Amino acid sequence: MPLKPASLVVLVSALSAGIAGMARTQDYDQLLRRCYTESLPDQVIASCSLVISRGAADRAELATAFKNRGNAYDDKGEYARALEDYDQAVTINPLDADAFNSRGTTYTALARYERAILDFDEAIRLNPASPLAFSNRCFARGALDQLEQALTDCSEALHLKPKNPGALGSRAFIYLKLRRYEAAIADYNSKLRESPDDAYALFGRGVAKYMKGDLRGGDGDIVASQALKPDIAEDMAKLGIRLQSLR
C-alpha cells in the first residue's frame, strides 16, 4: 500500500538516523584503533582524549584509553599527566598488569624507586609471566642497591624471555655495582648489539673496561656515550656509577 507523505517523512528520518548512527559507530571505531595503535604520542593523546570524552566506551576500553594516553604523556616526558592517567586506568581496571607496570616506569623516571617497586610488585602478582615487569623491578632495586634481589629479578626476566635487551642492560648495571666486571661487559656487549647507540650501556661498559685495566677501551666507550648524551656521567652518578666510587 502506498505510504502517505507523513509516513514517508518518518521513514526518511529513521533511515537518516540509522545512517548517522552507523557513521558515529565507524568514527568511534576508527578513534579507538588510533588510540590503541598509533605510534606518535601527540596523535595517541588526541585520539584517546576523544575516546575518553565520548563516554561510550565500555570499562575495559576506557581503562585502556587512559593507559595508552598515559604512555604517550610518558613518552613526551609529561610525567604528572601520565601518572594521572595511569591512576585512572588502574582505578577503572585494577586487573590491568600493564597499567601498573607503566605507572612503575614513570615513577622510575622520576627516581621514585620505592614507589615504582610497589607497582612492579602488583604487575608481577597479576601477571607472573611478565619479563618486562621483572626487568623493570630489577633496575629499580638496583638503583636502591638491593643488588641480590635485583639480580634474581633480572635472571627471572631472562628466563622468561632470553636475550631480552632491557633485562640484559639492567643485569649489566647490577653486575657493575657488584664489581663483576667481566659479566657486566658480556651483558653490555649483548645489549649494544641490539642497541648500538644506547648511551647508558656504552658508559657502563666503559666503566667496566676501565676497572679491568682497559683504559683505552674504557675511555673510548665513555667518550662515545658522552657524544650521544652529554650529561650521561651525571645521570649515571645519580644511579651510583662513578669511576671514583668503584676504584
Side-chain angles (χ1 to χ4, degrees):
M1 184 173 68
L3 293 167
K4 294 181 181 179
S7 299
L8 183 60
V9 170
V10 171
L11 178 60
V12 170
S13 297
L15 287 171
S16 298
I19 291 169
M22 289 175 61
R24 285 194 295 272
T25 300
Q26 290 171 352
D27 181 51
Y28 176 77
D29 288 345
Q30 187 177 45
L31 281 175
L32 203 62
R33 284 194 297 273
R34 288 177 179 169
C35 173
Y36 286 6
T37 63
E38 182 56 62
S39 60
L40 298 176
D42 287 333
Q43 292 183 13
V44 172
I45 290 167
S47 297
C48 291
S49 295
L50 285 170
V51 169
I52 291 166
S53 69
R54 289 288 182 91
D58 65 28
R59 292 183 68 79
E61 288 176 346
L62 185 60
T64 302
F66 274 113
K67 177 180 67 179
N68 289 355
R69 191 173 70 174
N71 290 340
Y73 279 132
D74 181 86
D75 288 344
K76 288 169 64 69
E78 297 182 27
Y79 299 129
R81 286 185 168 184
L83 289 175
E84 288 175 2
D85 277 352
Y86 293 141
D87 289 347
Q88 289 285 346
V90 300
T91 298
I92 296 167
N93 183 7
L95 300 179
D96 188 342
D98 288 340
F100 282 103
N101 181 71
S102 292
R103 190 171 68 178
T105 63
T106 299
Y107 280 125
T108 298
L110 293 167
R112 295 177 59 182
Y113 301 115
E114 293 94 342
R115 184 64 186 79
I117 288 170
L118 292 178
D119 276 339
F120 297 139
D121 288 346
E122 186 63 11
I124 289 166
R125 186 186 72 81
L126 291 167
N127 180 12
S130 170
L132 191 58
F134 276 107
S135 175
N136 289 337
R137 192 171 70 177
C138 169
F139 178 84
R141 282 177 163 173
L144 293 173
D145 289 330
Q146 300 172 4
L147 301 181
E148 293 301 332
Q149 290 173 293
L151 197 57
T152 298
D153 277 345
C154 271
S155 295
E156 181 62 19
L158 287 162
H159 171 72
L160 291 166
K161 186 179 179 181
K163 299 182 180 180
N164 176 357
L168 285 168
S170 294
R171 190 172 68 175
F173 167 62
I174 305 306
Y175 281 145
L176 190 57
K177 283 197 161 187
L178 288 168
R179 301 171 186 256
R180 294 173 59 179
Y181 301 123
E182 287 191 12
I185 289 169
D187 276 352
Y188 279 132
N189 285 343
S190 297
K191 168 72 171 176
L192 287 163
R193 277 194 288 272
E194 298 294 327
S195 306
D197 292 331
D198 187 316
Y200 292 92
L202 281 166
F203 189 94
R205 188 176 69 177
V207 171
K209 286 179 177 179
Y210 196 93
M211 297 307 298
K212 280 181 57 61
D214 180 6
L215 305 188
R216 179 176 295 180
D219 285 342
D221 278 347
I222 290 171
V223 168
S225 74
Q226 290 171 330
L228 292 165
K229 193 177 192 312
D231 62 346
I232 185 65
E234 290 83 352
D235 277 3
M236 293 295 278
K238 291 175 185 175
L239 294 169
I241 301 298
R242 305 176 185 85
L243 279 173
Q244 300 92 322
S245 66
L246 293 173
R247 286 173 179 165

